[in-house]
Amino acid sequence: MSQAVSLIRSADLSDVAQYAYAATAPPGARLIFLAGACPLELDGSVVGVGDYVAQAGKAMENLRIALKAAGAQLDDVVNTRVLVASSRQKDLVDAWTVVREAFGQHDVPSTLMGVTVLGYTDQLVEIEAVAAVID
């Protein structure tokens, strides 16, 4: 599998953001649209109740598993949306820090959003992603 994702930066945009502002995939790349990765164990229980960092870590673990099942990895991700059930910026930043560290040098374009509620009782974090691979 060869790398399909190209990250795009611009000197005309702030470099304060910890991610590229855009990404592309070449013609012929297979796009993979992932459902939101949730902080769930195999039995459906939510991990880290009340803990944004623990939930972001488990959501990233589950995202990696879903990517692998689709024949991809984190470096193949084109875009993410990180949803955090909080109106406190600190909670969003705590979750974002875990996600950002997991992606390492692949600073994929991302949107970080505070939301009112997520789908599971006690769920605080969910991570959506789109990936692209060349088979």
Side-chain angles (χ1 to χ4, degrees):
M1 178 171 30
S2 65
Q3 186 69 30
V5 177
S6 296
L7 300 178
I8 300 165
R9 293 165 185 81
S10 172
D12 295 328
L13 295 170
S14 171
D15 63 358
V16 172
Q18 297 176 355
Y19 48 82
Y21 278 97
T24 62
R30 177 171 55 95
L31 295 179
I32 302 165
F33 298 88
L34 293 106
C38 299
L40 300 177
E41 294 288 4
L42 281 176
D43 66 4
S45 62
V46 173
V47 302
V49 173
D51 186 337
Y52 292 91
V53 170
Q55 289 200 13
K58 182 62 175 175
M60 283 303 302
E61 178 184 327
N62 289 342
L63 179 65
R64 283 188 190 95
I65 293 168
L67 284 164
K68 183 177 179 183
Q73 58 191 3
L74 288 180
D75 284 350
D76 298 316
V77 173
V78 176
N79 177 268
T80 68
R81 181 177 297 124
V82 180
L83 308 171
V84 181
S86 179
S87 61
R88 292 182 35 195
Q89 187 177 34
K90 179 192 180 315
D91 298 334
L92 276 70
V93 171
D94 287 349
W96 170 250
T97 299
V98 173
V99 173
R100 180 67 192 95
E101 288 175 359
F103 276 97
Q105 294 299 312
H106 185 64
D107 56 348
V108 61
S110 297
T111 299
L112 176 62
M113 297 175 60
V115 298
T116 305
V117 66
L118 291 166
Y120 295 96
T121 301
D122 297 320
Q123 181 184 359
L124 301 172
V125 177
E126 187 164 331
I127 304 165
E128 299 176 3
V130 176
V133 295
I134 299 174
D135 294 314

